[in-house]
Amino acid sequence: MTQWRKFTLYGHGNKIELDQLEDDLISGHRISALFCEIPSNPQLRSPDLRRLRTLADKYDFAIACDDTIGSFINVNILPYVDIVMTSLTKSFSGGSDVMGGSVVVNPRSAHFHTIFDAVSSEWEDNFFPADAITLSKNCSDVVSRVLKSSFSAEAIANFINRHPSVKRVNYPSLVESRKFYEQVKRKDGGYGSLMSIIFHEPTAAIEFYDNLDVPKGPSLGTNFTLAIPYAFLAHFKELDWAASYDVPRHIVRISVGLEDTEKLLRVVEKALGCISTNLTVSEE
Ligand SMILES: Cc1ncc(COP(=O)(O)O)c(C=O)c1O
């Protein structure tokens, strides 16, 4: 396994950081690879893959992008990246009863042979046969499942976004980087099933989460809706650091499943209705 001697985190993934990367490259700094997600978890921001591709071609580095959250049913990033990485555990399976992952090395990549040889030299076929059978069965309706959950998620994100206790809903169509998601969105694709919610007040987040009548757990892309207090689960020992990247401690993440959209909207409406209305809104 290659050990990266040095890496730089561009944790905001915004234009300022991309300008910084470009300035560094212009001044002679060189990188081997850039890893990103489309969209990011849990900020749901999309990188400017078109601009990154231009930089990668000019300064000879590879782009490896994880499209698990967008899903390759919704987005097609192959025109811009050298490697597509996808967790098949999530929406590809949907069933939450099997794990798997895929790596696609873009045959059009200038780095194809180097990357493919490196991946092939380490790859072992150790996939348990029963898991392969389960994954193969589960994925047979992946297209309709991803489109349905994406459709519901968009409706739910827009609904939550209108509530006065909500400061911001992070969802690919509601964040500033929407245009970058749309650069790679398939014509009939949606915006994915994942969103995160930042409330004006921590107490509102707690009341909403505690009254949200859906299973609670850390996966995503499951056929059933899941919610988690993301920062507490993923960054418990580094909450201030996570907050500095727009992941405040009371952020609530929801992965929307295949339940009836109207029913889910009522579940969400009920939880929003449990938020005390006598809260004063404070600026963060
Ligand atoms: C975006 C993303 N990629 C990859 C993974 C890893 O997936 P797996 O559970 O298949 O190892 C996760 C897990 O949460 C994820 O959220």
Side-chain angles (χ1 to χ4, degrees):
M1 181 70 71
T2 304
Q3 298 290 320
W4 302 96
R5 281 192 304 277
K6 260 177 88 180
F7 67 87
T8 306
L9 173 68
Y10 295 98
H12 293 285
N14 56 14
K15 183 171 178 310
I16 297 171
E17 288 188 338
L18 196 42
D19 289 346
Q20 181 63 53
L21 170 65
E22 183 161 15
D23 287 347
D24 291 347
L25 291 165
I26 290 168
S27 348
H29 181 71
R30 287 293 168 268
I31 59 173
S32 308
L34 183 139
F35 293 84
C36 56
E37 290 176 299
I38 184 143
S40 64
N41 180 23
Q43 302 97 326
L44 283 304
R45 289 183 194 141
S46 301
D48 184 352
L49 286 178
R50 199 174 282 170
R51 183 169 169 201
L52 283 172
R53 182 72 258 155
T54 306
L55 291 178
D57 289 341
K58 192 162 173 191
Y59 296 103
D60 194 31
F61 60 87
I63 302 176
C65 187
D66 182 327
D67 70 351
T68 304
I69 294 175
S71 153
F72 47 65
I73 308 303
N74 288 323
V75 295
N76 175 20
I77 59 173
L78 267 177
Y80 301 107
V81 309
D82 300 274
I83 309 171
V84 182
M85 303 166 300
T86 313
S87 165
L88 305 181
T89 311
K90 311 296 192 310
S91 58
F92 186 77
S93 160
S96 207
D97 53 357
V98 62
M99 294 186 76
S102 73
V103 173
V104 174
V105 185
N106 192 340
R108 294 208 177 92
S109 164
H111 306 275
F112 175 81
H113 291 293
T114 317
I115 299 166
F116 190 81
D117 291 350
V119 172
S120 310
S121 72
E122 296 195 2
W123 181 72
E124 278 177 70
D125 183 4
N126 54 12
F127 204 28
F128 186 58
D131 281 350
I133 291 166
T134 305
L135 192 54
S136 159
K137 278 187 191 152
N138 288 359
C139 77
S140 61
D141 57 354
V142 59
V143 177
S144 59
R145 283 189 292 100
V146 167
L147 294 178
K148 178 169 167 37
S149 59
S150 299
F151 170 81
S152 293
E154 189 177 355
I156 290 165
N158 290 336
F159 182 73
I160 296 176
N161 203 30
R162 290 195 289 270
H163 196 273
S165 300
V166 171
K167 185 174 176 188
R168 189 168 76 241
V169 175
N170 296 320
Y171 187 66
S173 62
L174 296 176
V175 293
E176 226 181 276
S177 58
R178 172 183 182 141
K179 55 184 176 297
F180 301 132
Y181 186 94
E182 288 176 347
Q183 273 174 11
V184 292
K185 181 172 164 292
R186 292 184 191 273
K187 193 162 67 63
D188 300 319
Y191 292 90
S193 59
L194 199 71
M195 73 190 72
S196 60
I197 306 146
I198 300 173
F199 291 85
H200 287 292
E201 295 294 336
T203 41
I206 295 167
E207 287 168 332
F208 173 77
Y209 181 78
D210 285 349
N211 288 288
L212 186 64
D213 188 14
V214 301
K216 309 289 169 57
S219 194
L220 56 94
T222 44
N223 292 341
F224 48 90
T225 299
L226 272 174
I228 53 161
Y230 181 84
F232 284 108
L233 262 86
H235 297 292
F236 186 67
K237 292 192 174 151
E238 53 204 5
L239 286 166
D240 290 337
W241 174 84
S244 75
Y245 286 104
D246 298 324
V247 184
R249 50 188 68 202
H250 288 93
I251 196 167
V252 176
R253 194 186 74 178
I254 300 178
S255 170
V256 174
L258 298 178
E259 302 90 341
D260 177 68
T261 311
E262 284 307 313
K263 199 176 141 209
L264 278 176
L265 282 166
R266 298 293 75 81
V267 168
V268 166
E269 186 179 31
K270 187 161 170 253
L272 287 171
C274 293
I275 295 171
S276 313
T277 47
N278 59 349
L279 294 171
T280 50
V281 172
S282 69
E283 292 302 319
E284 247 176 45

